[in-house]
Amino acid sequence: MKRTPTAEEREREAKKLRLLEELEDTWLPYLTPKDDEFYQQWQLKYPKLILREAASVPELLHKEVQQAFLTLHKHGCLFRDLVRIQGKDLLTPVSRILIGNPGCTYKYLNTRLFTVPWPMKGSDAKYNEAEIAVACQTFLKLNSYLQVETIQALEELAAKEKANIDAVPVCIGPDFPRVGMGSSFDGHDEIDMKNRAAYNVTLLNFMDPQKMPYLKEEPYFGMGKMAVSWHHDENLVDRSAVAVYSYSCEGPEEESEDDPQLEGRDPDIWHVGFKISWDIETPGLAIPLHQGDCYFMLDDLNATHQHCVLAGLPPRFSSTHRVAECSTGTLEYILQRCQVALQNVREEADNGEISLKSLESVVLKQGEEIHNEVEFEWLRQFWFQGSRYKKCTDWWCQPMSQLEEMWRKMEWLTSAVLREVRREGVPMEQKNEMLTSILASITNRQNLRREWHASIQCGWIGGESIKESIDQISPS
């Protein structure tokens, strides 16, 4: 379905077109480890990008994480997402699953993903298979490990900056001497660093390039086929870090550095590409990712730079740990919002009709805004993705039933307002005030329902008709 792009999407597309016009038929330069100036450029222009080689990660953790990836894949827990890009609804080439704190969600490209909860202390999560429970526990363990590594990397970066040392170590092997914060940092700095590494979700990714022959070519540098296009990670806490564990399932382990015929990056090896946003002067980087490598995007790197994932030959998993901005993205939040809207219910009749406590414009307006929020940001987002979450756990079933019941009461709230507008004896001025307060929300609701209805015609997700799932929320 063709949709109207947002202002941000239009601006981003305009920047891309201007950049491509400037390039004409030439490629921007980029560097790989084969180039003499690669590490110098990395330290100079990309000092907040850190690579931890696989050999520096505990071997037991490698085995557990890699087995967890394979377990979730075996049980069919990863799905391609239908996302909105430049006004169009498209299926991602990468299959994904979100694991994280119970009740958290993560939204990207207008699609809200709901966490399969990892087993935190106090969590009551139940899993469909014991293997899935072990896998979720493993990713919580990996999350804790990456938090420690991220804080260490932030400390080292801060220590180098404070000492005015330019050559920040960017590629860390198993024998690299680690540098701590020392006594020059106060408690506030330590708390801030911990907050910026307080990963609350991980987005797991999987793709087999051999089954995706239509992958797009990287457009600026000529880096080859992309699994994920150039982007900033969305909806993260400001200046928070991102940590990525990479696992290529099989295939060549070493880059063909001695091949004189090979220019640029080796297309058989997975790489992560980095560039400074909209900069045509600074060379980009293509960093090879070997089995078990980790990389970290620290501080504001995600805001000032863009990255892409360049496909190799073998299938690849990754676990991308983030500090998701959840102020409006938790179950607790939306339940509280619904309670606010339903505070305007005076009494409920046996047939479901209700009467209102207040007809004040500000109260009516807020109620209809929350009505839209729970329907389009939560219920339709959840059911649009079919039964995918039931593959792992039934954790979201009861909360979604609760939200649906609250939504139905909001439908009756809307009907109650319209009855008041039609009721004889209500002054015309008051009727106009009531209508004015709710008109924008109701108009938006009808438009969004038409858009969602059109979107569900595009296919099936998770083996279940999208229409069958989403029709559980019938429009009034």
Side-chain angles (χ1 to χ4, degrees):
M1 172 194 171
K2 181 77 173 177
R3 301 190 189 212
T4 303
T6 65
E8 183 180 354
E9 289 171 336
R10 290 195 298 270
E11 181 182 0
R12 188 164 57 240
E13 183 65 12
K15 285 182 178 180
K16 177 181 176 182
L17 292 175
R18 285 197 298 270
L19 181 55
L20 291 172
E21 287 174 2
E22 288 185 55
L23 293 177
E24 295 181 341
D25 296 327
T26 62
W27 295 117
L28 290 173
Y30 76 96
L31 304 172
T32 73
K34 293 179 293 184
D35 298 298
D36 293 337
E37 63 270 39
F38 175 77
Y39 289 101
Q40 179 184 9
Q41 189 72 15
W42 188 346
Q43 290 178 336
L44 184 64
K45 296 294 185 179
Y46 303 85
K48 297 176 182 179
L49 168 64
I50 306 295
L51 177 70
R52 283 281 266 144
E53 295 177 347
S56 63
V57 179
E59 184 60 32
L60 178 60
L61 185 60
H62 279 309
K63 290 181 180 179
E64 292 176 343
V65 170
Q66 292 167 14
Q67 182 58 51
F69 280 131
L70 297 174
T71 293
L72 294 177
H73 186 260
K74 179 183 74 174
H75 286 285
C77 297
L78 290 91
F79 294 86
R80 296 168 68 188
D81 293 323
L82 192 68
V83 297
R84 192 185 312 165
I85 302 176
Q86 297 172 19
K88 298 179 181 177
D89 291 332
L90 302 170
L91 274 175
T92 59
V94 177
S95 299
R96 296 185 165 102
I97 183 175
L98 186 71
I99 302 177
N101 291 357
C104 276
T105 67
Y106 177 67
K107 193 174 182 185
Y108 81 106
L109 297 175
N110 297 290
T111 295
R112 184 179 299 280
L113 301 181
F114 298 76
T115 54
V116 172
W118 45 33
M120 298 176 64
K121 186 177 181 180
S123 170
D124 59 349
K126 296 179 177 62
Y127 304 92
N128 294 346
E129 300 285 346
E131 286 185 321
I132 293 175
V134 172
C136 290
Q137 177 68 56
T138 296
F139 286 109
L140 178 59
K141 180 178 179 180
L142 176 62
N143 195 66
S144 299
Y145 173 80
L146 293 176
Q147 282 181 331
V148 172
E149 291 298 310
T150 302
I151 293 169
Q152 181 75 60
L154 286 168
E155 290 172 354
E156 289 164 356
L157 181 67
K160 299 295 183 182
E161 289 178 345
K162 198 150 192 173
N164 227 2
I165 299 173
D166 292 332
V168 177
V170 289
C171 185
I172 302 173
D175 301 321
F176 181 80
R178 309 310 298 272
V179 179
M181 288 171 63
S183 59
S184 59
F185 294 85
D186 59 27
H188 175 77
D189 293 322
E190 186 175 0
I191 292 171
D192 181 56
M193 288 182 183
K194 287 182 178 179
N195 288 339
R196 286 193 274 162
Y199 303 129
N200 50 13
V201 299
T202 179
L203 185 61
L204 271 57
N205 306 286
F206 171 77
M207 198 187 81
D208 184 351
Q210 304 307 310
K211 296 181 180 179
M212 296 289 171
Y214 53 87
L215 292 176
K216 289 172 59 177
E217 294 286 333
E218 193 282 312
Y220 306 122
F221 302 89
M223 291 178 172
K225 293 189 180 299
M226 298 185 297
V228 182
S229 299
W230 291 107
H231 68 287
H232 307 276
D233 287 340
E234 297 181 77
N235 291 321
L236 306 181
V237 170
D238 188 42
R239 302 179 82 91
S240 63
V242 178
V244 181
Y245 179 98
S246 180
Y247 170 45
S248 303
C249 299
E250 58 187 2
E253 287 296 317
E254 298 298 330
E255 195 169 11
S256 307
E257 295 183 18
D258 298 325
D259 185 351
Q261 303 299 318
L262 189 63
E263 295 184 5
R265 73 145 184 135
D266 185 340
D268 292 350
I269 304 290
W270 284 82
H271 289 65
V272 59
F274 279 88
K275 69 182 181 74
I276 300 176
S277 299
W278 315 115
D279 181 338
I280 64 173
E281 303 295 333
T282 304
L285 298 183
I287 301 171
L289 296 173
H290 300 293
Q291 194 174 87
D293 283 348
C294 302
Y295 62 91
F296 302 81
M297 295 185 283
L298 305 179
D299 195 48
D300 62 350
L301 181 80
N302 181 57
T304 59
H305 295 61
Q306 291 177 304
H307 60 283
C308 69
V309 181
L310 302 160
L313 280 182
R316 172 183 177 264
F317 292 94
S318 67
S319 182
T320 61
H321 298 248
R322 307 150 190 255
V323 189
E325 206 297 294
C326 283
S327 61
T328 61
T330 65
L331 176 62
E332 180 182 14
Y333 160 82
I334 193 60
L335 287 173
Q336 289 176 350
R337 289 280 284 169
C338 291
Q339 291 291 351
V340 169
L342 296 179
Q343 284 175 358
N344 199 30
V345 176
R346 181 185 298 277
E347 58 185 20
E348 185 173 353
D350 292 339
N351 64 356
E353 289 190 2
I354 61 177
S355 59
L356 304 174
K357 288 181 181 178
S358 173
L359 295 175
E360 292 183 18
S361 295
V362 64
V363 175
L364 300 182
K365 182 175 183 292
Q366 182 184 48
E368 296 305 322
E369 288 171 348
I370 295 172
H371 188 165
N372 285 358
E373 183 177 11
V374 69
E375 177 172 338
F376 300 108
E377 289 295 327
W378 290 82
L379 293 174
R380 288 186 180 270
Q381 290 275 358
F382 184 82
W383 288 117
F384 185 71
Q385 296 170 53
S387 59
R388 62 166 62 182
Y389 297 103
K390 295 179 184 177
K391 289 273 186 179
C392 299
T393 178
D394 63 357
W395 194 92
W396 282 98
C397 292
Q398 190 278 329
M400 282 298 147
S401 295
Q402 185 178 359
L403 287 177
E404 284 181 39
E405 184 60 34
M406 291 176 158
W407 170 83
R408 289 189 182 93
K409 289 184 178 181
M410 291 180 210
E411 289 280 276
W412 286 110
L413 273 173
T414 302
S415 298
V417 176
L418 296 177
R419 281 200 310 274
E420 285 296 319
V421 170
R422 290 191 293 266
R423 187 165 61 85
E424 293 184 5
V426 177
M428 185 59 65
E429 183 180 355
Q430 185 179 2
K431 289 185 177 184
N432 288 338
E433 286 181 0
M434 287 190 287
L435 279 175
T436 300
S437 65
I438 67 172
L439 183 59
S441 292
I442 290 179
T443 302
N444 188 36
R445 187 177 310 150
Q446 294 307 316
N447 290 338
L448 287 172
R449 283 175 176 174
R450 280 192 290 268
E451 286 187 8
W452 277 95
H453 180 74
S455 289
I456 65 177
Q457 308 304 316
C458 69
W460 297 60
I461 287 184
E464 178 178 346
S465 166
I466 303 171
K467 187 176 187 302
E468 289 175 2
S469 292
I470 204 166
D471 274 352
Q472 297 187 47
I473 309 172
S474 55
S476 59

